[in-house]
Amino acid sequence: MTAVFLAGGSSVCDRPRSMAPMIGWGQAMPLFIQGADVINCARAGASSKSFMERGRLSWILDHLTPGDLLVVCFGINDMRPVDGLYAAPFGEYQSVLRRYVTEARDRGAHPVLVTPHERRVYDRFGNLRRPLRLYPAAMREEAQRLAVPLIDLNEWSVGWWRRLGPDGTRDLFLHLEPGEHPNYPEGIADNTHLRAHGAAECARFVAGELRAQGLLPTDWFRNLEAVIDADRVIPFLDDAVFEQLTKERVAGGMK
């Protein structure tokens, strides 16, 4: 069966039950794709560079077959000024993306670039700031240069975040009061990571663009117009399974 491999960081990755209700949008993708296996290889904390250097891209490449998709979404961690993560947007970041594209094409697979959704950052007047701006722009430029399909999740999310405003977006992200959820007894205010509804709608947009751009057959999709109770239908991995997959999906395994 055709596979859709997801490469990305924490905004994309599956989450174990111990981290609920935090969800990456890749965790919601199987809700919308029925004709292909979704293999979510995204990992929390990964940048485009660290994902490659730690053997996670190599694991995907070892399992890619002709006709598969490699969906690549990085940028949030690439901007962090940390050794091993940082990649300048119009420099190393683009060259690393080029590597993903070239390696996928060499195996007869189809690369797809997805700009990361924007973070929830507003100024004191309620205007949405765009801290990721240069990375989506660099990805758009590289996609055009390489003639790679691009899904502009960043621009779509900016429109949604602006319509909802600071108050309306709060419930999309991991904002919890003390005692509201047993996994976060002291509460949390996280403006990067999503909860179920936000993740599901991001996944719906990505899947819809895969269909619109003809990257998978139309009848391989489902639920694109359906009303979904995301809190009920998105499953979480058992922690032991999550840890095992994290260790296994690296070239050579157990890293």
Side-chain angles (χ1 to χ4, degrees):
M1 178 179 280
T2 297
V4 177
F5 289 88
L6 306 181
S10 58
S11 66
V12 185
C13 71
D14 290 345
R15 293 292 185 174
R17 190 167 286 110
S18 64
M19 298 189 75
M22 183 191 297
I23 296 180
W25 60 257
Q27 190 169 341
M29 283 294 283
L31 295 176
F32 305 106
I33 295 177
Q34 63 183 355
D37 292 325
V38 177
I39 312 298
N40 192 353
C41 301
R43 287 293 170 258
S47 70
S48 60
K49 183 167 67 171
S50 71
F51 191 92
M52 180 177 66
E53 291 178 345
R54 294 175 186 174
R56 299 195 183 282
L57 174 61
S58 293
W59 186 90
I60 293 174
L61 297 176
D62 287 343
H63 293 83
L64 272 181
T65 59
D68 288 343
L69 299 188
L70 174 56
V71 177
V72 180
C73 181
F74 292 103
I76 292 177
N77 289 315
D78 296 74
M79 69 183 296
R80 294 175 58 192
V82 177
D83 288 345
L85 293 181
Y86 180 74
F90 291 96
E92 190 174 18
Y93 176 68
Q94 287 186 323
S95 68
V96 172
L97 291 179
R98 200 173 308 130
R99 170 83 177 273
Y100 283 74
V101 170
T102 300
E103 295 281 10
R105 285 174 167 170
D106 285 348
R107 289 159 178 78
H110 306 295
V112 182
L113 299 181
V114 180
T115 59
H117 69 69
E118 192 52 82
R119 298 182 66 239
R120 180 183 175 270
V121 182
Y122 294 85
D123 66 21
R124 64 192 179 95
F125 300 104
N127 298 308
L128 182 69
R129 300 178 65 186
R130 301 186 66 173
L132 300 181
R133 183 186 300 270
L134 292 178
Y135 287 87
M139 181 179 280
R140 293 181 196 108
E141 182 179 272
E142 196 62 21
Q144 184 174 25
R145 180 182 294 124
L146 299 175
V148 181
L150 176 79
I151 296 176
D152 203 346
L153 177 61
N154 182 266
E155 198 63 31
W156 176 84
S157 71
V158 164
W160 193 18
W161 297 178
R162 281 176 173 160
R163 288 193 301 274
L164 293 178
D167 293 336
T169 51
R170 187 180 182 279
D171 290 341
L172 299 181
F173 286 80
L174 192 65
H175 279 249
L176 298 167
E177 297 297 328
E180 186 177 348
H181 196 284
N183 285 342
Y184 303 89
E186 298 180 0
I188 188 171
D190 183 336
N191 292 315
T192 299
H193 301 107
L194 298 170
R195 295 178 63 170
H197 179 57
E201 293 310 308
C202 286
R204 189 197 302 268
F205 174 76
V206 173
E209 285 295 296
L210 290 175
R211 183 179 70 171
Q213 296 187 39
L215 297 171
L216 292 173
T218 299
D219 60 357
W220 286 15
F221 296 91
R222 60 182 176 180
N223 298 325
L224 290 180
E225 288 79 36
V227 175
I228 290 175
D229 185 345
D231 287 308
R232 288 179 172 270
V233 299
I234 300 177
F236 287 88
L237 295 172
D238 290 333
D239 282 52
V241 173
F242 175 83
E243 292 297 331
Q244 187 65 27
L245 290 175
T246 299
K247 293 175 180 178
E248 288 178 350
R249 290 178 177 177
V250 179
M254 305 306 286
K255 293 184 181 177

